[in-house]
Amino acid sequence: MKYSNLVGKTRLDAPSDADSVNARLLTQAGFVEKLAAGIYNYLPMGKKVLDKVCDIIRDEMNKVDGQELFMPILHPVSIWETTGRIKTMDDVLYKTKGAGDKDFVLGPSHEETVTPLLRDNVNSYKDLPLSVYQLATKFRDEPRAKSGVLRGREFGMKDMYSFHLTEEDLDEYYERVSEAYFNVFKRCGLKSHIIEASGGAFSDKFSHEFSVETPAGEDTIIVCEKCNTAQNLEIAEGKIVGPDEKEEEERALEMVEAKRGFSVEENAKLHSVPESKILKSVVYEVEEVGLLGVAIRGDLNVSEVKLENYLKKQLRPASPELLKKHGLVQGFISPVNMPEESKIPYIADHSITNIKNFVTGANQPEMDYVNVNLGRDFQIDDFTDLVEVKSGFECNKCSSPLTEMKAIEVGNIFKLGSRYTDAFKFKLTGKDGTLKTVYMGCYGIGTTRLVGTVVEASHDENGIIWPKSVAPYMVHLLTIGNDDNVNKHADEIYNSLKEQGIEILFDDRDESPGVKLKDADLIGIPLRLVVSKRTLSENSVEWKVRAESDSKNIRISDLDTEIQDFLSN
Ligand code: ATP
Ligand code: MG
């Protein structure tokens, strides 16, 4: 492709509303262009990258016996009523009316189409297990479309659905797909982690997310490099590190004046103690229970998801107004000598059991207790793991330090069981003549999100660095100096590589070397070749790999073999 003909040129500046690295670089380099919030055009180079990502996914899904099909995006509303998701997914569903006032939904996912489709096309238990997938567009009215192509309102997804006669068979297939997912992300040049889905109100153990480490991620994950495992921050487990003061002598309880702010930091400073010596109280408003105090070491935070899972109730931090109404003194609440009329139940995180002579509020304005000791000065009936794990905690399995990282969820796999097959009455007569439940799994990868994730994970201050596997072109050829001989040689190289089937972009513009070199870095094609008078004087071209800092000269006669070598590695 000659650059002068290419649709989708580089821009001098990123659009002012580009809110992320991928939005900035993909737009500036001419891969995508925003139509509206969360809605993107893919220009020819963007489409090439997206196709390569899709081809990798297609290849890996075919290897796990997925059969590719293609389902409609426009869904009659009735199928969404059958599963009840017309209500539960109401916030993200795009709804529209057709002729005759018929109601439709623009598909955000395809369980509602694939289940009746397979019900009507599978006749015998002998056909199972089977798995079908598509590479298609999804619509979700995301409240906040952000981070460029990472969270769109219209976006690409590979969605695969598998059907099984037993749960064991689903379990086995789920593992195979898991492996295929790792292969997909690895082939896209990404390091991915599998993570048990976070808990919260919809907690179950039947889904996993695949996450890629990058600073742009919306999620925080806790990684053990040694075990090569990752957990979702909200439910991560790990060994708390910190002082063990069990042997410290218990000093006499004292109430002291404390003119301070509410933060642990100010508290520790005022009393000249480490933050771990502060007995922190966090008060929650719990559904059907009312107020509940949680005691935790001052330098640690409560994981609300762990707390919700433990109580099996929804909750939120109690508002200052509610605390006041209950007679609790904000910033000075503690389980020590609570006045009878404002007493609340307390639970505690294990972290408080190792500390002696705590400092904590005295349930009065600007008064603290010092030398507070568990058992002697206050009682806690219920201890559990409520701590939000952070960098420095130790892995429960291998004791090496855990690291907190930002990550992007690129894929998600679920064991759906019979939720959808029951809803659509998809059962099969088994060998023994009785009707059998059909078990289902579903497996998604955000294809457009994956394109954005590659950019987030692989770029520098000058632009994108495409891995060879998904690069729009393999070679970026440019000339320096508008010289007949230089142009002639560049043309010859271009034509010869093109004839060999090598994907090559030839910057044939009469632009300054500075502009061309800068654009090459921005676009990020793996190999840059420069032809100039100087290189020709040595019968060579300059060879520079985008991901490396050094360049070298290669003899034109060696170019073909060098390139073949480069491409096959
Ligand atoms: P998220 O928590 O990021 O909203 P999700 O749990 O809603 O994701 P799924 O319904 O499991 O996602 O969809 C499968 C995959 O589709 C996700 O892993 C992600 O890669 C991609 N995806 C989901 N929502 C979007 C979106 N709005 N824009 C781009 N990709 C998306
Ligand atoms: Mg979502």
Side-chain angles (χ1 to χ4, degrees):
M1 168 61 69
K2 290 201 170 155
Y3 192 84
S4 53
N5 295 331
L6 181 71
V7 175
K9 298 284 200 285
T10 57
R11 300 172 178 207
L12 207 53
D13 296 304
S16 57
D17 60 352
D19 61 350
S20 55
V21 170
N22 77 84
R24 179 166 64 76
L25 292 179
L26 285 171
T27 314
Q28 219 185 326
F31 288 82
V32 305
E33 192 170 300
K34 186 158 109 177
L35 176 64
I39 309 174
Y40 282 86
N41 288 294
Y42 282 73
L43 294 160
M45 277 204 297
K47 175 70 163 66
K48 271 177 172 289
V49 174
L50 183 58
D51 281 350
K52 289 194 175 183
V53 164
C54 289
D55 284 345
I56 290 174
I57 297 174
R58 183 176 279 121
D59 185 49
E60 292 294 335
M61 295 308 109
N62 290 344
K63 281 188 199 155
V64 291
D65 307 316
Q67 302 178 44
E68 186 168 359
L69 45 62
F70 191 61
M71 292 180 278
I73 290 166
L74 202 54
H75 300 175
V77 74
S78 57
I79 56 176
W80 284 81
E81 285 164 352
T82 301
T83 59
R85 290 212 292 180
I86 187 76
K87 288 214 177 76
T88 53
M89 284 188 77
D90 179 61
D91 50 342
V92 295
L93 288 182
Y94 280 105
K95 293 172 206 151
T96 181
K97 276 198 189 295
D101 224 18
K102 291 214 169 64
D103 290 314
F104 292 92
V105 162
L106 295 185
S109 184
H110 279 70
E111 286 81 359
E112 275 78 358
T113 51
V114 78
T115 317
L117 179 69
L118 274 273
R119 176 196 61 203
D120 298 341
N121 284 278
V122 173
N123 304 318
S124 161
Y125 73 91
K126 289 181 190 151
D127 296 352
L128 261 48
L130 60 77
S131 181
V132 292
Y133 73 94
Q134 63 172 349
L135 286 146
T137 301
K138 302 279 183 252
F139 291 85
R140 292 185 188 177
D141 196 3
E142 299 278 358
R144 287 189 64 211
K146 57 178 180 152
S147 309
V149 300
L150 297 184
R151 184 168 296 284
R153 295 200 165 114
E154 174 175 340
F155 59 95
M157 197 205 283
K158 181 283 302 177
D159 45 330
M160 181 159 83
Y161 307 89
S162 70
F163 297 85
H164 309 264
L165 283 174
T166 63
E167 287 185 89
E168 293 69 39
D169 194 54
L170 168 59
D171 292 348
E172 232 169 80
Y173 190 68
Y174 191 84
E175 292 305 317
R176 279 181 74 199
V177 178
S178 217
E179 279 307 307
Y181 269 40
F182 278 121
N183 293 342
V184 166
F185 304 128
K186 190 167 170 207
R187 286 175 66 179
C188 292
L190 300 170
K191 181 174 177 201
S192 66
H193 292 285
I194 185 166
I195 296 168
E196 205 170 89
S198 71
F202 305 101
S203 166
D204 60 40
K205 296 252 167 183
F206 305 121
S207 86
H208 288 86
E209 294 167 2
F210 286 80
S211 278
V212 169
E213 292 170 16
T214 85
E218 281 182 13
D219 306 332
T220 307
I221 60 172
I222 301 288
V223 176
C224 174
E225 300 280 3
K226 189 147 174 233
C227 298
N228 195 19
T229 53
Q231 313 176 73
N232 198 307
L233 171 74
E234 295 172 328
I235 50 166
E237 292 175 4
K239 275 189 266 181
I240 302 169
V241 290
D244 181 353
E245 303 173 352
K246 278 202 212 78
E247 302 304 318
E248 193 175 297
E249 198 187 319
E250 294 188 0
R251 293 191 290 270
L253 182 69
E254 245 184 279
M255 196 193 283
V256 296
E257 200 186 30
K259 289 202 183 308
R260 60 165 174 84
F262 297 162
S263 73
V264 170
E265 197 187 347
E266 285 171 83
N267 196 344
K269 207 166 150 198
L270 177 77
H271 296 283
S272 304
V273 292
E275 290 184 10
S276 57
K277 259 211 180 327
I278 305 294
L279 179 69
K280 179 160 84 176
S281 281
V282 193
V283 182
Y284 290 95
E285 187 186 352
V286 183
E287 69 165 344
E288 294 163 11
V289 173
L291 294 185
L292 173 76
V294 178
I296 191 164
R297 217 172 74 186
D299 58 329
L300 303 174
N301 288 321
V302 176
S303 156
E304 286 173 16
V305 174
K306 281 187 183 174
L307 183 59
E308 270 189 347
N309 286 349
Y310 179 71
L311 299 170
K312 304 217 165 25
K313 302 242 184 294
Q314 304 247 10
L315 48 83
R316 59 181 177 195
S319 65
E321 296 73 37
L322 193 62
L323 294 177
K324 200 167 165 197
K325 209 170 129 202
H326 204 82
L328 293 164
V329 187
Q330 194 186 1
F332 293 87
I333 302 168
S334 83
V336 186
N337 297 333
M338 286 196 114
E340 217 37 63
E341 63 282 6
S342 57
K343 237 182 192 156
I344 54 170
Y346 253 88
I347 64 174
D349 178 66
H350 297 299
S351 59
I352 68 167
T353 54
N354 274 353
I355 307 292
K356 293 284 182 191
N357 303 309
F358 270 120
V359 172
T360 192
N363 295 306
Q364 297 177 38
E366 304 195 332
M367 295 301 283
D368 279 341
Y369 280 120
V370 296
N371 302 331
V372 170
N373 286 290
L374 175 65
R376 185 191 72 181
D377 306 319
F378 70 104
Q379 309 288 339
I380 298 281
D381 304 324
D382 208 1
F383 284 89
T384 184
D385 170 20
L386 295 173
V387 72
E388 189 174 272
V389 171
K390 57 181 183 181
S391 286
F393 274 45
E394 288 172 357
C395 173
N396 272 348
K397 285 201 195 90
C398 76
S399 296
S400 15
L402 298 169
T403 331
E404 206 175 311
M405 304 211 174
K406 286 283 169 206
I408 298 172
E409 177 202 311
V410 284
N412 213 335
I413 58 177
F414 295 83
K415 289 181 191 171
L416 298 171
S418 62
R419 177 174 179 325
Y420 293 92
T421 47
D422 284 349
F424 287 103
K425 302 194 169 47
F426 178 14
K427 285 191 192 299
L428 285 170
T429 310
K431 223 191 253 172
D432 61 3
T434 63
L435 267 189
K436 302 285 181 211
T437 295
V438 175
Y439 299 94
M440 190 172 162
C442 79
Y443 318 86
I445 294 180
T447 52
T448 46
R449 182 179 287 188
L450 200 46
V451 170
T453 303
V454 172
V455 176
E456 293 288 346
S458 183
H459 67 270
D460 63 14
E461 64 282 9
N462 300 320
I464 305 171
I465 305 172
W466 291 110
K468 279 181 265 182
S469 56
V470 299
Y473 294 96
M474 290 299 152
V475 180
H476 190 136
L477 175 68
L478 60 93
T479 55
I480 288 181
N482 192 1
D483 173 272
D484 282 348
N485 193 37
V486 168
N487 290 340
K488 180 177 139 284
H489 275 86
D491 266 334
E492 277 170 18
I493 292 172
Y494 172 64
N495 288 325
S496 152
L497 292 181
K498 217 171 83 166
E499 260 166 44
Q500 293 171 56
I502 289 161
E503 296 166 297
I504 176 165
L505 181 68
F506 177 19
D507 190 344
D508 56 339
R509 293 174 299 173
D510 185 13
E511 277 285 0
S512 74
V515 167
K516 289 190 191 178
L517 293 170
K518 204 162 165 253
D519 278 351
D521 276 352
L522 178 61
I523 295 169
I525 291 167
L527 175 62
R528 187 186 77 193
L529 298 179
V530 179
V531 185
S532 69
K533 260 187 184 165
R534 193 175 52 78
T535 65
L536 288 182
S537 71
E538 295 170 20
N539 291 323
S540 64
V541 295
E542 187 208 62
W543 167 291
K544 175 161 184 312
V545 175
R546 177 66 181 89
E548 295 169 8
S549 48
D550 296 338
S551 60
K552 59 182 179 183
N553 278 0
I554 297 266
R555 295 184 70 80
I556 293 176
S557 52
D558 294 338
L559 196 56
D560 291 355
T561 34
E562 289 278 347
I563 287 185
Q564 290 304 344
D565 233 41
F566 175 75
L567 294 182
S568 59
N569 281 318

